[in-house]
């Protein structure tokens, strides 16, 4: 049965991609033992996934980084692109080459790309953008031809193409300001209020086939989680990111909405300076490591919508290490406002190991830190 199910799934993907028609899919499903009503239902679902031209898309973002990133890729392209499966492929770069030590990289640009104003893309445009942003570790960037470049790194870096896929490296025309609306992307910017709203229309000459399906797009920054959730529920927006974990269950009850969970860069970082007391005591550091329940944080703070890898929570080990450390009194913990709830749970779970934690002023330097971070991952 799993083999047949896999075959039907692959056929459904081919139908969605336009590689086979509905009749062929239904015949394939019937031959695999699927009943006719089920085959027809699967065909309808597969066809519903086929992108269709037209319409107006409205998206809301939790912060300026998300808003600016979406805008950057709506109006432009980078040299490379990270696919949905996590692979790195060329975007504006048609070919990518490297030396055996991964210190010298070469890029050949696509010939069929133009900016919104009709100006063709050249290596001078890429050179100007990369020189302005200057990726870390780059020693030299030079154009070797109208559509070719060479980059020399100070140190070997096999992941260099991946680093060029971020919104910082969206290519702009040489000689234009960094805030220029001109780009090579799928949509043309018509109205822009920095950090608030951007309105764009489809680029009729976009170089990528079967992309840019919407006639128009509006991007909005809505920092408050309840505002994004309300906008989704009332139909004011079609997409919103960073849904508050406590609101996921409610949104899943709405038949017209889909909740998609994807890996992100937002994480809780617990840091301490091992050069300063009391954290120069290795036993105390290990006691804290084993005295905090990561799984409890995921379940109670994120309602299960997160992961921790391995949970090192072992109260008995933490208690023994804490006694061996010889530390007396409370352990200071500084926390920013974003991690207030996490801090409360850290204090609570540490008590199970006999460790008393005192929350101190986060601007001071006398405590370890709990911070909600959002690292910029290209």
């Amino acid at each position: 049965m799993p083999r047949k199910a896999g075959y039907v799934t692959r056929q459904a993907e081919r139908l969605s991609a336009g590689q086979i028609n509905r009749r062929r899919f239904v015949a394939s499903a019937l031959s695999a033992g699927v009943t006719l009503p089920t085959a027809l239902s699967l065909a309808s679902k597969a066809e519903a996934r086929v992108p269709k031209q037209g319409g107006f898309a409205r998206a809301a973002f939790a912060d300026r980084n998300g808003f600016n990133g979406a805008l950057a890729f709506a109006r432009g392209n980078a040299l490379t692109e990270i696919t949905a499966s996590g692979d790195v492929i060329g975007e504006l770069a048609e070919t990518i080459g490297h030396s055996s030590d991964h210190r010298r990289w070469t890029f050949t640009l696509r010939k069929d790309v133009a900016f919104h104003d009709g100006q063709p893309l050249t290596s001078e445009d890429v050179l100007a953008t990369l020189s302005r942003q200057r990726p870390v570790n780059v020693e030299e960037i030079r154009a070797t031809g109208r559509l070719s470049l060479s980059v020399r790194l100070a140190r070997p870096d096999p992941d260099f193409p991946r680093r060029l896929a971020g919104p910082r490296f969206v290519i702009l025309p040489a000689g234009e300001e960094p805030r220029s609306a001109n780009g090579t992307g799928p949509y043309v910017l018509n109205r822009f209020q920095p950090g608030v709203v951007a309105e764009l229309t489809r680029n009729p000459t976009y170089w990528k086939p079967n992309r840019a399906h919407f006639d128009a797009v509006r991007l909005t920054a809505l920092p408050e989680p309840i505002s994004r959730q309300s906008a989704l529920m009332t139909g004011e927006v079609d997409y919103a990111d960073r849904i508050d974990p406590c609101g996921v269950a409610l949104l899943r009850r709405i038949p017209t909405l889909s909740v998609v969970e994807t890996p992100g860069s937002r994480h809780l970082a617990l840091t301490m300076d091992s050069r300063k007391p009391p954290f120069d005591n290795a036993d105390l550091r290990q006691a804290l490591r084993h005295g905090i329940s990561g799984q409890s944080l995921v379940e109670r703070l994120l309602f299960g919508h997160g992961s921790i890898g391995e949970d090192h929570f072992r109260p008995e080990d933490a208690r023994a290490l804490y006694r061996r450390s010889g530390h007396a009194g409370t352990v200071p913990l500084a926390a920013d406002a974003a991690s207030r709830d996490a801090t409360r749970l850290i204090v609570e779970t540490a008590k199970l190991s006999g460790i008393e934690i005192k929350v101190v002023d986060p601007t001071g330097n006398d405590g370890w830190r709990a911070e909600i971070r959002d690292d910029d991952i290209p």
Side-chain angles (χ1 to χ4, degrees):
M1 183 62 71
R3 186 180 227 171
K4 290 182 179 180
Y7 169 73
V8 173
T9 299
R10 289 193 297 274
Q11 291 297 90
E13 291 172 350
R14 294 183 65 195
L15 176 59
S16 296
Q19 298 173 356
I20 60 175
N21 58 26
R22 183 184 180 92
R23 184 188 297 271
R24 174 80 176 275
F25 170 78
V26 171
S28 300
L30 292 175
S31 68
V34 177
T35 63
L36 180 59
T38 301
L40 293 174
S41 175
L42 291 173
S44 297
K45 291 179 180 178
E47 289 174 331
R49 292 196 295 269
V50 178
K52 296 178 176 60
Q53 291 282 356
F56 178 38
R58 303 158 301 171
F61 297 91
D63 57 31
R64 186 164 294 192
N65 287 338
F67 174 85
N68 289 340
L71 176 59
F73 288 122
R75 66 180 177 87
N77 307 99
L79 272 182
T80 59
E81 176 183 10
I82 300 176
T83 67
S85 59
D87 298 323
V88 181
I89 61 174
E91 189 172 33
L92 292 180
E94 188 171 46
T95 63
I96 303 172
H98 61 81
S99 60
S100 57
D101 63 357
H102 293 93
R103 281 193 60 195
R104 186 173 292 277
W105 292 84
T106 57
F107 302 90
T108 302
L109 306 181
R110 299 183 186 276
K111 304 178 181 67
D112 55 349
V113 180
F115 291 97
H116 296 155
D117 63 359
Q119 174 186 339
L121 172 73
T122 71
S123 57
E124 292 299 324
D125 303 311
V126 179
L127 178 62
T129 298
L130 296 186
S131 297
R132 181 171 56 247
Q133 295 297 339
R134 201 67 178 186
V136 175
N137 192 29
V138 168
E139 279 188 340
E140 179 191 61
I141 311 170
R142 61 187 179 92
T144 56
R146 182 177 174 275
L147 295 174
S148 58
L149 297 100
S150 174
V151 180
R152 188 178 74 240
L153 305 181
R155 298 174 301 280
D157 185 2
D159 286 332
F160 182 63
R162 180 179 293 274
R163 305 187 198 289
L164 296 179
R168 286 178 52 211
F169 303 116
V170 164
I171 305 303
L172 298 176
E176 295 196 16
E177 294 294 324
R179 293 183 177 273
S180 168
N182 203 359
T184 60
Y187 294 94
V188 179
L189 183 62
N190 298 320
R191 175 175 170 251
F192 178 51
Q193 187 175 352
V196 180
V197 65
E199 295 179 354
L200 309 96
T201 52
R202 186 166 59 89
N203 177 8
T205 60
Y206 189 43
W207 58 275
K208 275 189 180 182
N210 300 318
R211 300 290 182 95
H213 299 288
F214 299 111
D215 291 331
V217 175
R218 184 174 67 213
L219 311 177
T220 307
L222 290 178
E224 290 298 325
I226 191 63
S227 299
R228 294 193 304 282
Q229 181 173 312
S230 297
L232 277 174
M233 296 175 67
T234 59
E236 295 178 44
V237 300
D238 307 297
Y239 165 87
D241 68 350
R242 291 193 182 172
I243 298 303
D244 192 321
C246 66
V248 171
L250 174 62
L251 292 178
R252 279 186 168 148
R253 292 164 56 185
I254 302 175
T256 56
L257 294 178
S258 297
V259 178
V260 180
E261 296 195 31
T262 59
S265 60
R266 196 168 175 82
H267 60 279
L268 175 65
L270 303 176
T271 60
M272 62 190 77
D273 191 343
S274 60
R275 299 167 301 178
K276 298 179 180 179
F279 308 109
D280 56 349
N281 186 318
D283 288 332
L284 177 60
R285 295 198 303 272
Q286 285 298 312
L288 290 169
R289 182 171 185 247
H290 295 306
I292 297 171
S293 173
Q295 190 59 43
S296 176
L297 291 171
V298 170
E299 292 174 356
R300 297 174 59 185
L301 187 65
L302 303 177
F303 297 87
H305 302 290
S307 62
I308 59 166
E310 182 182 356
D311 191 358
H312 298 280
F313 182 54
R314 296 198 291 272
E316 291 304 319
D317 290 347
R319 187 174 286 106
L321 285 162
Y322 188 60
R323 283 197 299 265
R324 195 167 74 185
S325 74
H327 181 76
T330 57
V331 180
L333 167 62
D336 59 14
S339 57
R340 181 181 59 250
D341 292 337
T343 301
R344 178 176 53 80
L345 289 174
I346 288 171
V347 172
E348 182 180 318
T349 58
K351 283 184 179 180
L352 299 175
S353 305
I355 302 174
E356 293 289 334
I357 293 177
K358 176 185 177 182
V359 180
V360 299
D361 184 353
T363 61
N365 298 315
D366 56 348
W368 58 311
R369 298 188 65 84
E371 299 174 300
I372 300 293
R373 293 181 183 170
D374 187 13
D375 290 348
D376 184 14
I377 298 178

